Amino acid sequence: MALDIYQVLGTVGTFTPVIVAFLLWKKINENVQKMDFPQEKKKSISLISAALLFGWFLLVLALAFLDIYHVKAEFFSPLVPIGIVLPGIIALVLVFFSETTKKIVDSLPGHWLISLQLYRILGIVFLWQLEAKALPALYAIPSGYGDIITGLAAPIVGYLYLKKISFSRGLAVLWNIFGILDLAVAVTLGVLLAFPQPFQLIAVATTTEIMTTYPLVLVPVYAVPLAFMLHVFSLRGLLRKNNPA
């Protein structure tokens, strides 16, 4: 029974980022409608952003159902690291080289982008899986608590930035850096601890194999890149020279 509860909570936690993606798409769509783009371009942006956010989710969901991400003794799938890194690279390329993307990202409220990452408190899923002996402590504790701290701090940092408190901009930059480092630590440990014996790079009794299977694999290949994307968008706004905050 306990394991069933952990599975339910894990499923809820891994699907919540889709709601966050919907809120991001909705805000992008609302803002684009107010811009001076031609009507056809507005429709294209709405469709393309929906395809990127939700088509991406449907793709990784299908691959997860097919168990293609699964790292096991018989097959060391490289798709989890690829699924983490590739969306991040695409996001960085668009933010740095697409004028349309820059204009859209710059229209997103800074405090809103920060507060949206409240969902990171669902890192508690890692601690539940640790309690169920399904994840190693070396992975679950730093990843779980790092996400929880990032998520709990998000609305506080967002509120201070909205109110333009004197130190809020610097605090928001530090919060973003902490959030990115938390993702980097989780990804690094997740990969290092995924290999089964006798191929383990770090000897642990329980590996992170469960993070390469459905539904938890949706965390590294969807939730993590989405969180990184939000951090990139947030930092762009915070570090712009003409940022009035």
Side-chain angles (χ1 to χ4, degrees), residues 13-25 49-61 69 80 83-85 87-88 119 183 215-230:
T14 52
F15 278 89
T16 299
V18 183
I19 300 173
V20 176
F22 172 76
L23 294 174
L24 177 61
W25 174 80
S49 58
L52 288 174
L53 288 169
F54 306 119
W56 165 31
F57 175 74
L58 291 175
L59 173 62
V60 300
L61 183 64
Y69 290 110
V80 169
I84 295 169
V85 174
Y119 82 97
L183 296 176
L216 287 179
V217 71
L218 297 178
V219 173
V221 298
Y222 191 77
V224 167
L226 179 63
F228 177 74
M229 185 189 308
L230 292 173

mmCIF file of all heavy atoms in Angstrom, residues 13-25 49-61 69 80 83-85 87-88 119 183 215-230:
data_model
loop_
_atom_site.group_PDB
_atom_site.id
_atom_site.type_symbol
_atom_site.label_atom_id
_atom_site.label_comp_id
_atom_site.label_asym_id
_atom_site.label_seq_id
_atom_site.Cartn_x
_atom_site.Cartn_y
_atom_site.Cartn_z
ATOM 1 N N GLY A 13 3.514 14.409 -9.179
ATOM 2 C CA GLY A 13 4.654 15.312 -9.207
ATOM 3 C C GLY A 13 5.285 15.444 -10.571
ATOM 4 O O GLY A 13 5.710 16.535 -10.962
ATOM 5 N N THR A 14 5.330 14.357 -11.322
ATOM 6 C CA THR A 14 5.973 14.402 -12.633
ATOM 7 C C THR A 14 5.091 15.023 -13.703
ATOM 8 O O THR A 14 5.604 15.517 -14.714
ATOM 9 C CB THR A 14 6.395 12.989 -13.082
ATOM 10 O OG1 THR A 14 5.284 12.103 -12.975
ATOM 11 C CG2 THR A 14 7.519 12.462 -12.227
ATOM 12 N N PHE A 15 3.774 15.025 -13.511
ATOM 13 C CA PHE A 15 2.890 15.613 -14.510
ATOM 14 C C PHE A 15 2.573 17.087 -14.235
ATOM 15 O O PHE A 15 2.077 17.785 -15.119
ATOM 16 C CB PHE A 15 1.584 14.807 -14.622
ATOM 17 C CG PHE A 15 1.707 13.598 -15.499
ATOM 18 C CD1 PHE A 15 2.112 12.380 -14.984
ATOM 19 C CD2 PHE A 15 1.446 13.680 -16.854
ATOM 20 C CE1 PHE A 15 2.248 11.258 -15.784
ATOM 21 C CE2 PHE A 15 1.576 12.569 -17.678
ATOM 22 C CZ PHE A 15 1.973 11.357 -17.142
ATOM 23 N N THR A 16 2.853 17.570 -13.036
ATOM 24 C CA THR A 16 2.584 18.972 -12.704
ATOM 25 C C THR A 16 3.293 19.952 -13.630
ATOM 26 O O THR A 16 2.715 21.000 -13.979
ATOM 27 C CB THR A 16 2.966 19.255 -11.236
ATOM 28 O OG1 THR A 16 2.169 18.433 -10.385
ATOM 29 C CG2 THR A 16 2.748 20.711 -10.881
ATOM 30 N N PRO A 17 4.544 19.689 -14.068
ATOM 31 C CA PRO A 17 5.200 20.631 -14.986
ATOM 32 C C PRO A 17 4.411 20.915 -16.265
ATOM 33 O O PRO A 17 4.596 21.972 -16.877
ATOM 34 C CB PRO A 17 6.538 19.946 -15.296
ATOM 35 C CG PRO A 17 6.834 19.159 -14.061
ATOM 36 C CD PRO A 17 5.492 18.642 -13.613
ATOM 37 N N VAL A 18 3.531 19.997 -16.682
ATOM 38 C CA VAL A 18 2.713 20.256 -17.867
ATOM 39 C C VAL A 18 1.779 21.435 -17.608
ATOM 40 O O VAL A 18 1.518 22.253 -18.500
ATOM 41 C CB VAL A 18 1.897 19.005 -18.255
ATOM 42 C CG1 VAL A 18 1.117 19.265 -19.535
ATOM 43 C CG2 VAL A 18 2.803 17.812 -18.436
ATOM 44 N N ILE A 19 1.277 21.534 -16.385
ATOM 45 C CA ILE A 19 0.425 22.673 -16.014
ATOM 46 C C ILE A 19 1.235 23.955 -16.062
ATOM 47 O O ILE A 19 0.764 24.995 -16.536
ATOM 48 C CB ILE A 19 -0.175 22.454 -14.604
ATOM 49 C CG1 ILE A 19 -1.026 21.193 -14.575
ATOM 50 C CG2 ILE A 19 -0.978 23.675 -14.167
ATOM 51 C CD1 ILE A 19 -1.523 20.814 -13.189
ATOM 52 N N VAL A 20 2.478 23.889 -15.572
ATOM 53 C CA VAL A 20 3.366 25.052 -15.620
ATOM 54 C C VAL A 20 3.622 25.453 -17.072
ATOM 55 O O VAL A 20 3.608 26.640 -17.419
ATOM 56 C CB VAL A 20 4.697 24.748 -14.895
ATOM 57 C CG1 VAL A 20 5.678 25.913 -15.030
ATOM 58 C CG2 VAL A 20 4.432 24.436 -13.424
ATOM 59 N N ALA A 21 3.850 24.461 -17.930
ATOM 60 C CA ALA A 21 4.072 24.732 -19.352
ATOM 61 C C ALA A 21 2.851 25.393 -19.971
ATOM 62 O O ALA A 21 2.970 26.309 -20.796
ATOM 63 C CB ALA A 21 4.405 23.438 -20.087
ATOM 64 N N PHE A 22 1.654 24.950 -19.564
ATOM 65 C CA PHE A 22 0.421 25.560 -20.080
ATOM 66 C C PHE A 22 0.318 27.022 -19.646
ATOM 67 O O PHE A 22 -0.056 27.892 -20.448
ATOM 68 C CB PHE A 22 -0.801 24.789 -19.592
ATOM 69 C CG PHE A 22 -2.107 25.472 -19.935
ATOM 70 C CD1 PHE A 22 -2.607 25.429 -21.225
ATOM 71 C CD2 PHE A 22 -2.807 26.182 -18.957
ATOM 72 C CE1 PHE A 22 -3.788 26.089 -21.548
ATOM 73 C CE2 PHE A 22 -3.988 26.833 -19.277
ATOM 74 C CZ PHE A 22 -4.490 26.787 -20.575
ATOM 75 N N LEU A 23 0.650 27.305 -18.384
ATOM 76 C CA LEU A 23 0.605 28.689 -17.893
ATOM 77 C C LEU A 23 1.605 29.564 -18.647
ATOM 78 O O LEU A 23 1.317 30.727 -18.960
ATOM 79 C CB LEU A 23 0.896 28.720 -16.392
ATOM 80 C CG LEU A 23 -0.147 28.049 -15.484
ATOM 81 C CD1 LEU A 23 0.341 28.037 -14.038
ATOM 82 C CD2 LEU A 23 -1.484 28.757 -15.587
ATOM 83 N N LEU A 24 2.780 29.002 -18.944
ATOM 84 C CA LEU A 24 3.785 29.739 -19.715
ATOM 85 C C LEU A 24 3.275 30.024 -21.123
ATOM 86 O O LEU A 24 3.380 31.154 -21.618
ATOM 87 C CB LEU A 24 5.085 28.929 -19.773
ATOM 88 C CG LEU A 24 6.229 29.521 -20.601
ATOM 89 C CD1 LEU A 24 6.664 30.870 -20.046
ATOM 90 C CD2 LEU A 24 7.409 28.554 -20.649
ATOM 91 N N TRP A 25 2.719 28.992 -21.766
ATOM 92 C CA TRP A 25 2.177 29.181 -23.115
ATOM 93 C C TRP A 25 1.039 30.205 -23.116
ATOM 94 O O TRP A 25 0.967 31.058 -24.008
ATOM 95 C CB TRP A 25 1.667 27.843 -23.658
ATOM 96 C CG TRP A 25 0.961 28.006 -24.975
ATOM 97 C CD1 TRP A 25 1.538 28.130 -26.209
ATOM 98 C CD2 TRP A 25 -0.455 28.110 -25.178
ATOM 99 N NE1 TRP A 25 0.562 28.305 -27.167
ATOM 100 C CE2 TRP A 25 -0.660 28.299 -26.565
ATOM 101 C CE3 TRP A 25 -1.554 28.072 -24.318
ATOM 102 C CZ2 TRP A 25 -1.935 28.430 -27.108
ATOM 103 C CZ3 TRP A 25 -2.824 28.204 -24.862
ATOM 104 C CH2 TRP A 25 -3.009 28.378 -26.241
ATOM 105 N N SER A 49 4.806 27.787 -30.345
ATOM 106 C CA SER A 49 5.109 27.670 -28.913
ATOM 107 C C SER A 49 4.341 26.507 -28.291
ATOM 108 O O SER A 49 4.869 25.778 -27.435
ATOM 109 C CB SER A 49 4.792 28.979 -28.182
ATOM 110 O OG SER A 49 3.432 29.345 -28.337
ATOM 111 N N ALA A 50 3.102 26.307 -28.727
ATOM 112 C CA ALA A 50 2.317 25.170 -28.236
ATOM 113 C C ALA A 50 2.953 23.855 -28.678
ATOM 114 O O ALA A 50 3.060 22.901 -27.898
ATOM 115 C CB ALA A 50 0.883 25.259 -28.741
ATOM 116 N N ALA A 51 3.393 23.809 -29.944
ATOM 117 C CA ALA A 51 4.024 22.591 -30.461
ATOM 118 C C ALA A 51 5.310 22.276 -29.710
ATOM 119 O O ALA A 51 5.586 21.118 -29.384
ATOM 120 C CB ALA A 51 4.312 22.748 -31.960
ATOM 121 N N LEU A 52 6.097 23.313 -29.424
ATOM 122 C CA LEU A 52 7.363 23.101 -28.721
ATOM 123 C C LEU A 52 7.131 22.604 -27.294
ATOM 124 O O LEU A 52 7.784 21.656 -26.847
ATOM 125 C CB LEU A 52 8.175 24.399 -28.698
ATOM 126 C CG LEU A 52 8.796 24.831 -30.029
ATOM 127 C CD1 LEU A 52 9.450 26.204 -29.894
ATOM 128 C CD2 LEU A 52 9.828 23.813 -30.507
ATOM 129 N N LEU A 53 6.211 23.242 -26.585
ATOM 130 C CA LEU A 53 5.988 22.891 -25.185
ATOM 131 C C LEU A 53 5.225 21.587 -25.011
ATOM 132 O O LEU A 53 5.600 20.744 -24.178
ATOM 133 C CB LEU A 53 5.239 24.028 -24.477
ATOM 134 C CG LEU A 53 6.046 25.300 -24.217
ATOM 135 C CD1 LEU A 53 5.139 26.440 -23.766
ATOM 136 C CD2 LEU A 53 7.133 25.043 -23.181
ATOM 137 N N PHE A 54 4.168 21.396 -25.802
ATOM 138 C CA PHE A 54 3.315 20.222 -25.603
ATOM 139 C C PHE A 54 3.682 19.066 -26.537
ATOM 140 O O PHE A 54 3.530 17.902 -26.169
ATOM 141 C CB PHE A 54 1.846 20.611 -25.756
ATOM 142 C CG PHE A 54 1.454 21.755 -24.866
ATOM 143 C CD1 PHE A 54 0.978 22.949 -25.398
ATOM 144 C CD2 PHE A 54 1.614 21.670 -23.493
ATOM 145 C CE1 PHE A 54 0.650 24.015 -24.572
ATOM 146 C CE2 PHE A 54 1.289 22.725 -22.661
ATOM 147 C CZ PHE A 54 0.807 23.902 -23.196
ATOM 148 N N GLY A 55 4.166 19.393 -27.735
ATOM 149 C CA GLY A 55 4.663 18.341 -28.617
ATOM 150 C C GLY A 55 5.875 17.663 -28.003
ATOM 151 O O GLY A 55 6.028 16.432 -28.063
ATOM 152 N N TRP A 56 6.722 18.472 -27.393
ATOM 153 C CA TRP A 56 7.890 17.959 -26.664
ATOM 154 C C TRP A 56 7.447 17.006 -25.559
ATOM 155 O O TRP A 56 7.993 15.910 -25.411
ATOM 156 C CB TRP A 56 8.664 19.158 -26.126
ATOM 157 C CG TRP A 56 9.694 18.909 -25.076
ATOM 158 C CD1 TRP A 56 10.461 17.795 -24.904
ATOM 159 C CD2 TRP A 56 10.085 19.818 -24.039
ATOM 160 N NE1 TRP A 56 11.306 17.956 -23.826
ATOM 161 C CE2 TRP A 56 11.099 19.183 -23.281
ATOM 162 C CE3 TRP A 56 9.696 21.109 -23.690
ATOM 163 C CZ2 TRP A 56 11.702 19.796 -22.185
ATOM 164 C CZ3 TRP A 56 10.296 21.725 -22.608
ATOM 165 C CH2 TRP A 56 11.286 21.074 -21.868
ATOM 166 N N PHE A 57 6.416 17.409 -24.807
ATOM 167 C CA PHE A 57 5.927 16.555 -23.727
ATOM 168 C C PHE A 57 5.374 15.242 -24.267
ATOM 169 O O PHE A 57 5.667 14.160 -23.717
ATOM 170 C CB PHE A 57 4.851 17.263 -22.913
ATOM 171 C CG PHE A 57 4.230 16.374 -21.863
ATOM 172 C CD1 PHE A 57 4.934 16.041 -20.710
ATOM 173 C CD2 PHE A 57 2.955 15.853 -22.040
ATOM 174 C CE1 PHE A 57 4.385 15.197 -19.756
ATOM 175 C CE2 PHE A 57 2.395 15.021 -21.099
ATOM 176 C CZ PHE A 57 3.108 14.692 -19.946
ATOM 177 N N LEU A 58 4.586 15.311 -25.328
ATOM 178 C CA LEU A 58 3.998 14.091 -25.893
ATOM 179 C C LEU A 58 5.081 13.155 -26.422
ATOM 180 O O LEU A 58 4.968 11.928 -26.308
ATOM 181 C CB LEU A 58 3.019 14.452 -27.008
ATOM 182 C CG LEU A 58 1.730 15.164 -26.547
ATOM 183 C CD1 LEU A 58 0.895 15.583 -27.752
ATOM 184 C CD2 LEU A 58 0.917 14.264 -25.616
ATOM 185 N N LEU A 59 6.150 13.739 -26.990
ATOM 186 C CA LEU A 59 7.257 12.917 -27.494
ATOM 187 C C LEU A 59 7.942 12.172 -26.354
ATOM 188 O O LEU A 59 8.137 10.950 -26.423
ATOM 189 C CB LEU A 59 8.267 13.801 -28.228
ATOM 190 C CG LEU A 59 9.564 13.105 -28.661
ATOM 191 C CD1 LEU A 59 9.264 11.983 -29.655
ATOM 192 C CD2 LEU A 59 10.543 14.118 -29.262
ATOM 193 N N VAL A 60 8.310 12.896 -25.287
ATOM 194 C CA VAL A 60 9.017 12.237 -24.182
ATOM 195 C C VAL A 60 8.087 11.263 -23.455
ATOM 196 O O VAL A 60 8.539 10.236 -22.935
ATOM 197 C CB VAL A 60 9.628 13.258 -23.193
ATOM 198 C CG1 VAL A 60 10.637 14.153 -23.906
ATOM 199 C CG2 VAL A 60 8.569 14.100 -22.503
ATOM 200 N N LEU A 61 6.796 11.574 -23.420
ATOM 201 C CA LEU A 61 5.838 10.659 -22.793
ATOM 202 C C LEU A 61 5.777 9.348 -23.575
ATOM 203 O O LEU A 61 5.771 8.257 -22.983
ATOM 204 C CB LEU A 61 4.456 11.315 -22.732
ATOM 205 C CG LEU A 61 3.350 10.507 -22.040
ATOM 206 C CD1 LEU A 61 3.684 10.303 -20.566
ATOM 207 C CD2 LEU A 61 2.003 11.222 -22.182
ATOM 208 N N TYR A 69 14.105 5.161 -22.472
ATOM 209 C CA TYR A 69 15.055 5.895 -21.639
ATOM 210 C C TYR A 69 15.758 4.997 -20.615
ATOM 211 O O TYR A 69 16.744 5.404 -20.011
ATOM 212 C CB TYR A 69 14.337 6.996 -20.862
ATOM 213 C CG TYR A 69 13.839 8.154 -21.690
ATOM 214 C CD1 TYR A 69 12.473 8.343 -21.898
ATOM 215 C CD2 TYR A 69 14.718 9.077 -22.240
ATOM 216 C CE1 TYR A 69 12.004 9.415 -22.636
ATOM 217 C CE2 TYR A 69 14.253 10.149 -22.982
ATOM 218 C CZ TYR A 69 12.898 10.318 -23.185
ATOM 219 O OH TYR A 69 12.435 11.375 -23.916
ATOM 220 N N VAL A 80 18.429 9.881 -21.811
ATOM 221 C CA VAL A 80 18.136 10.795 -20.703
ATOM 222 C C VAL A 80 19.074 12.016 -20.746
ATOM 223 O O VAL A 80 18.600 13.150 -20.726
ATOM 224 C CB VAL A 80 18.196 10.092 -19.335
ATOM 225 C CG1 VAL A 80 18.158 11.116 -18.212
ATOM 226 C CG2 VAL A 80 17.020 9.133 -19.186
ATOM 227 N N GLY A 83 18.059 14.072 -23.641
ATOM 228 C CA GLY A 83 16.773 14.716 -23.380
ATOM 229 C C GLY A 83 16.864 15.878 -22.413
ATOM 230 O O GLY A 83 16.006 16.763 -22.406
ATOM 231 N N ILE A 84 17.895 15.879 -21.573
ATOM 232 C CA ILE A 84 18.113 16.993 -20.641
ATOM 233 C C ILE A 84 18.805 18.149 -21.340
ATOM 234 O O ILE A 84 18.389 19.303 -21.233
ATOM 235 C CB ILE A 84 18.968 16.535 -19.444
ATOM 236 C CG1 ILE A 84 18.230 15.484 -18.618
ATOM 237 C CG2 ILE A 84 19.348 17.726 -18.565
ATOM 238 C CD1 ILE A 84 19.104 14.798 -17.583
ATOM 239 N N VAL A 85 19.868 17.836 -22.083
ATOM 240 C CA VAL A 85 20.739 18.865 -22.652
ATOM 241 C C VAL A 85 20.142 19.537 -23.893
ATOM 242 O O VAL A 85 20.217 20.774 -24.030
ATOM 243 C CB VAL A 85 22.117 18.257 -22.993
ATOM 244 C CG1 VAL A 85 22.988 19.270 -23.730
ATOM 245 C CG2 VAL A 85 22.809 17.795 -21.722
ATOM 246 N N PRO A 87 17.007 20.281 -25.105
ATOM 247 C CA PRO A 87 16.066 21.398 -24.957
ATOM 248 C C PRO A 87 16.722 22.652 -24.381
ATOM 249 O O PRO A 87 16.367 23.782 -24.760
ATOM 250 C CB PRO A 87 15.007 20.844 -23.986
ATOM 251 C CG PRO A 87 15.108 19.378 -24.112
ATOM 252 C CD PRO A 87 16.558 19.095 -24.345
ATOM 253 N N GLY A 88 17.685 22.476 -23.474
ATOM 254 C CA GLY A 88 18.387 23.617 -22.905
ATOM 255 C C GLY A 88 19.187 24.367 -23.955
ATOM 256 O O GLY A 88 19.196 25.606 -23.975
ATOM 257 N N TYR A 119 6.471 25.308 -8.254
ATOM 258 C CA TYR A 119 6.250 23.875 -8.468
ATOM 259 C C TYR A 119 7.472 23.025 -8.123
ATOM 260 O O TYR A 119 7.362 21.803 -7.957
ATOM 261 C CB TYR A 119 5.823 23.615 -9.915
ATOM 262 C CG TYR A 119 6.943 23.547 -10.931
ATOM 263 C CD1 TYR A 119 7.473 22.324 -11.329
ATOM 264 C CD2 TYR A 119 7.466 24.698 -11.511
ATOM 265 C CE1 TYR A 119 8.489 22.246 -12.269
ATOM 266 C CE2 TYR A 119 8.479 24.635 -12.445
ATOM 267 C CZ TYR A 119 8.990 23.411 -12.827
ATOM 268 O OH TYR A 119 10.003 23.355 -13.749
ATOM 269 N N LEU A 183 19.745 22.134 -10.297
ATOM 270 C CA LEU A 183 19.468 21.277 -11.446
ATOM 271 C C LEU A 183 20.733 20.552 -11.906
ATOM 272 O O LEU A 183 20.698 19.357 -12.215
ATOM 273 C CB LEU A 183 18.912 22.117 -12.607
ATOM 274 C CG LEU A 183 17.563 22.799 -12.383
ATOM 275 C CD1 LEU A 183 17.209 23.666 -13.592
ATOM 276 C CD2 LEU A 183 16.461 21.775 -12.127
ATOM 277 N N PRO A 215 6.945 6.752 -14.300
ATOM 278 C CA PRO A 215 6.773 8.136 -14.752
ATOM 279 C C PRO A 215 7.907 9.075 -14.369
ATOM 280 O O PRO A 215 7.967 10.197 -14.855
ATOM 281 C CB PRO A 215 5.488 8.550 -14.031
ATOM 282 C CG PRO A 215 5.593 7.841 -12.707
ATOM 283 C CD PRO A 215 6.214 6.504 -13.026
ATOM 284 N N LEU A 216 8.810 8.654 -13.482
ATOM 285 C CA LEU A 216 9.805 9.580 -12.955
ATOM 286 C C LEU A 216 10.788 10.081 -14.001
ATOM 287 O O LEU A 216 11.404 11.131 -13.813
ATOM 288 C CB LEU A 216 10.556 8.943 -11.785
ATOM 289 C CG LEU A 216 9.775 8.821 -10.476
ATOM 290 C CD1 LEU A 216 10.630 8.161 -9.400
ATOM 291 C CD2 LEU A 216 9.298 10.187 -9.991
ATOM 292 N N VAL A 217 10.946 9.363 -15.104
ATOM 293 C CA VAL A 217 11.848 9.835 -16.143
ATOM 294 C C VAL A 217 11.375 11.162 -16.743
ATOM 295 O O VAL A 217 12.167 11.924 -17.313
ATOM 296 C CB VAL A 217 12.007 8.772 -17.259
ATOM 297 C CG1 VAL A 217 10.733 8.650 -18.091
ATOM 298 C CG2 VAL A 217 13.205 9.101 -18.150
ATOM 299 N N LEU A 218 10.096 11.474 -16.576
ATOM 300 C CA LEU A 218 9.585 12.754 -17.076
ATOM 301 C C LEU A 218 10.201 13.933 -16.325
ATOM 302 O O LEU A 218 10.191 15.057 -16.817
ATOM 303 C CB LEU A 218 8.052 12.795 -16.958
ATOM 304 C CG LEU A 218 7.299 11.749 -17.782
ATOM 305 C CD1 LEU A 218 5.798 11.863 -17.531
ATOM 306 C CD2 LEU A 218 7.603 11.904 -19.263
ATOM 307 N N VAL A 219 10.732 13.671 -15.141
ATOM 308 C CA VAL A 219 11.400 14.746 -14.395
ATOM 309 C C VAL A 219 12.660 15.203 -15.115
ATOM 310 O O VAL A 219 12.792 16.378 -15.460
ATOM 311 C CB VAL A 219 11.705 14.318 -12.941
ATOM 312 C CG1 VAL A 219 12.551 15.379 -12.248
ATOM 313 C CG2 VAL A 219 10.412 14.078 -12.172
ATOM 314 N N PRO A 220 13.640 14.306 -15.377
ATOM 315 C CA PRO A 220 14.852 14.791 -16.047
ATOM 316 C C PRO A 220 14.652 15.234 -17.488
ATOM 317 O O PRO A 220 15.336 16.152 -17.950
ATOM 318 C CB PRO A 220 15.809 13.600 -15.959
ATOM 319 C CG PRO A 220 14.941 12.414 -15.764
ATOM 320 C CD PRO A 220 13.768 12.895 -14.952
ATOM 321 N N VAL A 221 13.748 14.592 -18.224
ATOM 322 C CA VAL A 221 13.642 14.919 -19.651
ATOM 323 C C VAL A 221 12.584 15.978 -19.962
ATOM 324 O O VAL A 221 12.504 16.445 -21.109
ATOM 325 C CB VAL A 221 13.371 13.650 -20.500
ATOM 326 C CG1 VAL A 221 14.512 12.668 -20.358
ATOM 327 C CG2 VAL A 221 12.042 13.007 -20.137
ATOM 328 N N TYR A 222 11.787 16.380 -18.962
ATOM 329 C CA TYR A 222 10.803 17.446 -19.209
ATOM 330 C C TYR A 222 10.840 18.523 -18.128
ATOM 331 O O TYR A 222 11.037 19.713 -18.424
ATOM 332 C CB TYR A 222 9.391 16.875 -19.322
ATOM 333 C CG TYR A 222 8.394 17.902 -19.830
ATOM 334 C CD1 TYR A 222 8.350 18.220 -21.183
ATOM 335 C CD2 TYR A 222 7.513 18.545 -18.968
ATOM 336 C CE1 TYR A 222 7.451 19.172 -21.659
ATOM 337 C CE2 TYR A 222 6.609 19.491 -19.435
ATOM 338 C CZ TYR A 222 6.579 19.807 -20.779
ATOM 339 O OH TYR A 222 5.699 20.746 -21.241
ATOM 340 N N ALA A 223 10.684 18.130 -16.869
ATOM 341 C CA ALA A 223 10.621 19.118 -15.793
ATOM 342 C C ALA A 223 11.933 19.879 -15.630
ATOM 343 O O ALA A 223 11.932 21.095 -15.421
ATOM 344 C CB ALA A 223 10.239 18.433 -14.474
ATOM 345 N N VAL A 224 13.061 19.176 -15.721
ATOM 346 C CA VAL A 224 14.365 19.835 -15.553
ATOM 347 C C VAL A 224 14.644 20.830 -16.674
ATOM 348 O O VAL A 224 14.985 21.988 -16.405
ATOM 349 C CB VAL A 224 15.499 18.787 -15.427
ATOM 350 C CG1 VAL A 224 16.866 19.452 -15.571
ATOM 351 C CG2 VAL A 224 15.399 18.073 -14.088
ATOM 352 N N PRO A 225 14.504 20.444 -17.964
ATOM 353 C CA PRO A 225 14.722 21.440 -19.021
ATOM 354 C C PRO A 225 13.741 22.612 -18.949
ATOM 355 O O PRO A 225 14.115 23.748 -19.256
ATOM 356 C CB PRO A 225 14.523 20.636 -20.314
ATOM 357 C CG PRO A 225 14.780 19.228 -19.924
ATOM 358 C CD PRO A 225 14.284 19.103 -18.521
ATOM 359 N N LEU A 226 12.497 22.345 -18.535
ATOM 360 C CA LEU A 226 11.523 23.426 -18.394
ATOM 361 C C LEU A 226 11.963 24.405 -17.311
ATOM 362 O O LEU A 226 11.899 25.632 -17.498
ATOM 363 C CB LEU A 226 10.148 22.853 -18.056
ATOM 364 C CG LEU A 226 9.019 23.876 -17.842
ATOM 365 C CD1 LEU A 226 8.759 24.655 -19.130
ATOM 366 C CD2 LEU A 226 7.746 23.174 -17.367
ATOM 367 N N ALA A 227 12.436 23.882 -16.184
ATOM 368 C CA ALA A 227 12.917 24.746 -15.102
ATOM 369 C C ALA A 227 14.124 25.556 -15.560
ATOM 370 O O ALA A 227 14.242 26.753 -15.263
ATOM 371 C CB ALA A 227 13.279 23.902 -13.884
ATOM 372 N N PHE A 228 15.047 24.913 -16.297
ATOM 373 C CA PHE A 228 16.224 25.616 -16.817
ATOM 374 C C PHE A 228 15.797 26.739 -17.757
ATOM 375 O O PHE A 228 16.337 27.848 -17.711
ATOM 376 C CB PHE A 228 17.140 24.629 -17.541
ATOM 377 C CG PHE A 228 18.343 25.278 -18.173
ATOM 378 C CD1 PHE A 228 19.409 25.710 -17.386
ATOM 379 C CD2 PHE A 228 18.409 25.456 -19.546
ATOM 380 C CE1 PHE A 228 20.518 26.323 -17.968
ATOM 381 C CE2 PHE A 228 19.510 26.054 -20.136
ATOM 382 C CZ PHE A 228 20.565 26.492 -19.346
ATOM 383 N N MET A 229 14.812 26.459 -18.613
ATOM 384 C CA MET A 229 14.305 27.466 -19.537
ATOM 385 C C MET A 229 13.748 28.680 -18.786
ATOM 386 O O MET A 229 14.018 29.832 -19.142
ATOM 387 C CB MET A 229 13.197 26.840 -20.409
ATOM 388 C CG MET A 229 12.651 27.745 -21.500
ATOM 389 S SD MET A 229 11.188 27.010 -22.292
ATOM 390 C CE MET A 229 11.812 25.389 -22.724
ATOM 391 N N LEU A 230 13.000 28.423 -17.730
ATOM 392 C CA LEU A 230 12.441 29.519 -16.933
ATOM 393 C C LEU A 230 13.555 30.331 -16.275
ATOM 394 O O LEU A 230 13.460 31.561 -16.176
ATOM 395 C CB LEU A 230 11.487 28.955 -15.878
ATOM 396 C CG LEU A 230 10.190 28.337 -16.401
ATOM 397 C CD1 LEU A 230 9.422 27.674 -15.262
ATOM 398 C CD2 LEU A 230 9.312 29.392 -17.082
#
